[in-house]
Amino acid sequence: MDHAKQKQSEKQVAYSTDSVNGHVEERAPVPKSPNRTRGPQVVPGEETRSHSSAVMESWKEERTRSIEDNEMNLPSIAAAYTTILRGLGEDPLRQGLLKTPWRAATAMQFFTKGYQEKISDVLNDAIFDEDHDEMVIVKDIDMFSMCEHHLVPFIGKVHIGYLPNKRVVGLSKLARIVEIYSRRLQVQERLTKQIAVAITESLQPSGVGVVIEASHMCMVMRGVQKMNSKTVTSTMLGVFREDPKTREEFLKLIKD
Amino acid sequence: MNGVCNGNIVTEYNCHNGFSDQAMIESKKAAVQNKHEKSRKESEDESTLPALETAYNAILKGLGENTDRQGLLLTPRRAAKAMQFLTKGYHETVYDVLNDAIFDEDHDEMVIVKDIDMFSLCEHHLVPFFGKVHIGYLPNKRVVGLSKLARIVEIFSRRLQVQERLTKQIALAITEALNPAGVAVVIEAAHMCMVMRGVQKMNSRTITSTMLGVFREDPKTREEFLSLVRS
């Protein structure tokens, strides 16, 4: 029990001061221990005491971008793309490239539309009380994200499993959570964690497991150029972390 | 600029004696480099890097990101270099890549190199498209080193491209360099601009082909090529 608590507080410290994906996310995970009580457990630690009030609200964080922002910024992004085309030695005035800056800018805004969306918008209505305590898995969710280091896509599949604790969520909402966090400038490790934490905070389940298997174009198209390499990351919270048999069941069920 | 092949170039390259005549080689080289395409020198890359970095910084800010956070600090530089790598085909000419590897061989059966992985950038959205290229040709007394076919694919795919044009450029380059009896190129690719955005169809593939010479005129030859590529 002590060990579990210590792990929890370590995890909270690691999260609490991150400035990720363009805005400060003050959140802490609330993994359940076997002797759980209702509601999120906040383990008071020195660094996290100031953030404890933010825990319940953290997954309802504000959007950092709006549709109006998109419209306002489109010209400057398009101008930047025109500079890039010139810098690469291309002729921005040839027929195929004439509208490319605008198309590329709109496409890039689409690839980062996760900044415009909040979890609470997506989830609020679709949490249901259900007396179900067996594992629920949604697997093979196609995921497309942008590597924040090279601005090149990475694509793959997300597998999500959770053990409900009297509350289940609409299944497509899991895929929508994936969309919100993947349509951003991301690092695969952080993406996995954000999805798991969002589900944990909104549902308070007994445990959550998220596995992402992706192919990174920055590794395939350039750099080391390994065509078939895949990166696999996972986040296990709650009973998925503590009970090896639950974890094993989840991992076996998501394998083909 | 994207190496548009017009009739002038075909006549320049029509060399029946192979590359044995030095003077002819030099004049061909000059012709190719002047008329074929402007090759972007590597030193130019270094000098344009700052402008590209500034542009990427502007993009990140325009997207609402915080450019001072740790993950994004060096991203403009990395993204600029990545983009230069992904368009390095502008540097390279077919002549440089092919010159030494054409051999006289009395072989008149089909030669196919298939499943060549190809990665390119859609010129309309600046988003990758990737797939496989299958090349076949019927030699006419001259064969080319097999990896050179893949290198030709690299030269033309590492550019801002349209799949149709890419297919044609590969076919034309092989025709001009080798003068074979026929050339066939088939490209099957997935376009991220269709998969990641827009209409969002995950499993759609675009197939384009260019058939020249006997592949175009003789249906049986074409059929043989297509069935060998399918299997």
Side-chain angles (χ1 to χ4, degrees):
Chain A
M1 187 59 192
D2 280 341
H3 182 58
K5 271 205 171 159
Q6 178 162 22
K7 274 199 306 194
Q8 282 182 6
S9 69
E10 273 170 17
K11 219 173 167 115
Q12 284 179 312
V13 168
Y15 283 12
S16 56
T17 52
D18 269 359
S19 167
V20 294
N21 290 111
H23 53 274
V24 176
E25 292 177 355
E26 296 170 302
R27 60 155 49 122
V30 283
K32 296 289 189 180
S33 64
N35 313 328
R36 63 186 178 274
T37 54
R38 275 278 175 201
Q41 276 182 332
V42 178
V43 177
E46 282 152 19
E47 294 92 318
T48 62
R49 204 179 290 272
S50 58
H51 299 294
S52 56
S53 59
V55 165
M56 275 303 283
E57 297 302 307
S58 63
W59 61 276
K60 298 177 186 164
E61 73 262 13
E62 293 305 304
R63 292 183 199 91
T64 56
R65 209 166 87 180
S66 65
I67 309 230
E68 292 77 29
D69 286 338
N70 280 354
E71 280 174 22
M72 256 177 22
N73 292 324
L74 196 62
S76 64
I77 304 179
Y81 271 113
T82 309
T83 313
I84 290 173
L85 289 177
R86 275 208 195 87
L88 294 175
E90 266 283 8
D91 170 19
L93 296 175
R94 71 173 172 89
Q95 189 208 34
L97 294 187
L98 214 43
K99 294 213 218 128
T100 291
W102 295 93
R103 282 187 292 242
T106 315
M108 195 52 113
Q109 285 184 333
F110 182 87
F111 295 144
T112 52
K113 70 177 169 66
Y115 294 129
Q116 295 164 223
E117 297 158 354
K118 285 194 317 188
I119 300 281
S120 57
D121 290 335
V122 151
L123 271 191
N124 241 357
D125 302 333
I127 297 182
F128 309 105
D129 296 316
E130 195 76 31
D131 196 7
H132 183 83
D133 60 356
E134 297 285 338
M135 204 182 293
V136 177
I137 296 178
V138 179
K139 65 177 197 171
D140 291 331
I141 302 170
D142 288 307
M143 177 276 300
F144 306 96
S145 191
M146 293 293 274
C147 151
E148 73 178 16
H149 299 141
H150 299 94
L151 300 185
V152 168
F154 67 95
I155 58 193
K157 292 194 188 293
V158 183
H159 313 286
I160 300 178
Y162 72 101
L163 253 176
N165 180 19
K166 303 284 184 257
R167 298 205 307 186
V168 297
V169 69
L171 299 169
S172 78
K173 305 302 176 276
L174 295 172
R176 288 186 190 272
I177 293 178
V178 170
E179 273 285 294
I180 288 179
Y181 286 116
S182 61
R183 299 288 185 185
R184 297 182 178 192
L185 302 184
Q186 272 289 8
V187 162
Q188 191 178 330
E189 295 87 336
R190 185 197 310 139
L191 172 60
T192 323
K193 202 162 70 184
Q194 283 177 322
I195 295 171
V197 167
I199 298 172
T200 307
E201 288 176 348
S202 54
L203 273 188
Q204 281 102 43
S206 310
V208 174
V210 177
V211 173
I212 299 186
E213 185 179 322
S215 166
H216 289 243
M217 292 293 108
C218 54
M219 257 181 83
V220 167
M221 286 179 75
R222 62 165 286 292
V224 73
Q225 297 193 59
K226 296 295 180 185
M227 307 295 152
N228 301 317
S229 74
K230 290 207 177 357
T231 305
V232 181
T233 53
S234 65
T235 298
M236 304 288 172
L237 300 178
V239 291
F240 283 82
R241 178 174 273 237
E242 283 145 28
D243 180 8
K245 288 213 166 295
T246 311
R247 190 161 64 240
E248 198 185 312
E249 182 186 340
F250 170 63
L251 292 174
K252 195 177 288 189
L253 284 169
I254 62 175
K255 211 183 291 217
D256 295 314
Chain B
M1 188 215 141
N2 196 355
V4 174
C5 292
N6 50 38
N8 294 340
I9 298 154
V10 175
T11 54
E12 289 294 341
Y13 240 133
N14 247 350
C15 166
H16 299 288
N17 300 332
F19 292 92
S20 49
D21 186 352
Q22 268 306 115
M24 207 186 288
I25 292 174
E26 285 311 306
S27 68
K28 295 230 175 291
K29 197 170 179 177
V32 161
Q33 283 184 345
N34 288 340
K35 287 192 181 168
H36 202 266
E37 62 233 14
K38 261 199 305 233
S39 84
R40 198 181 71 200
K41 308 266 181 302
E42 295 196 20
S43 51
E44 281 176 22
D45 268 357
E46 284 295 316
S47 58
T48 55
L49 202 56
L52 292 178
E53 283 185 46
T54 314
Y56 272 110
N57 218 319
I59 292 174
L60 290 177
K61 283 205 171 70
L63 294 175
E65 264 285 6
N66 169 19
T67 48
D68 291 325
R69 68 177 174 89
Q70 189 207 34
L72 293 186
L73 268 180
L74 290 176
T75 291
R77 189 173 191 86
R78 283 186 292 243
K81 283 197 165 160
M83 192 55 108
Q84 283 182 334
F85 179 85
L86 296 176
T87 55
K88 71 177 168 66
Y90 292 126
H91 271 306
E92 298 155 354
T93 61
V94 175
Y95 183 84
D96 292 330
V97 150
L98 270 189
N99 213 14
D100 302 333
I102 297 184
F103 309 105
D104 297 317
E105 195 76 31
D106 196 6
H107 183 83
D108 61 355
E109 298 285 338
M110 203 180 295
V111 178
I112 298 177
V113 180
K114 64 177 198 167
D115 292 331
I116 302 171
D117 288 307
M118 176 276 299
F119 304 93
S120 190
L121 276 178
C122 149
E123 72 177 15
H124 298 140
H125 300 94
L126 301 185
V127 168
F129 67 95
F130 44 83
K132 290 195 192 292
V133 182
H134 313 288
I135 301 176
Y137 72 102
L138 254 175
N140 179 18
K141 305 283 184 259
R142 298 210 307 215
V143 298
V144 69
L146 299 170
S147 77
K148 302 302 176 276
L149 294 172
R151 285 185 191 274
I152 292 178
V153 170
E154 273 284 294
I155 288 178
F156 290 112
S157 61
R158 298 285 185 189
R159 297 181 180 192
L160 303 184
Q161 272 289 9
V162 163
Q163 192 178 329
E164 296 86 337
R165 184 194 313 137
L166 171 61
T167 322
K168 199 161 73 186
Q169 283 177 319
I170 296 172
L172 281 177
I174 299 172
T175 306
E176 288 162 10
L178 274 189
N179 248 334
V183 175
V185 178
V186 173
I187 299 187
E188 184 177 331
H191 289 243
M192 289 297 105
C193 53
M194 257 182 83
V195 168
M196 282 178 77
R197 60 167 288 290
V199 73
Q200 295 194 60
K201 296 294 178 187
M202 308 293 152
N203 300 317
S204 75
R205 298 276 177 279
T206 304
I207 301 181
T208 54
S209 64
T210 298
M211 306 285 172
L212 300 176
V214 292
F215 285 91
R216 180 175 272 235
E217 283 140 29
D218 181 6
K220 288 211 167 295
T221 312
R222 191 161 63 237
E223 199 182 308
E224 182 186 339
F225 168 69
L226 292 174
S227 69
L228 283 169
V229 152
R230 285 270 160 259
S231 61

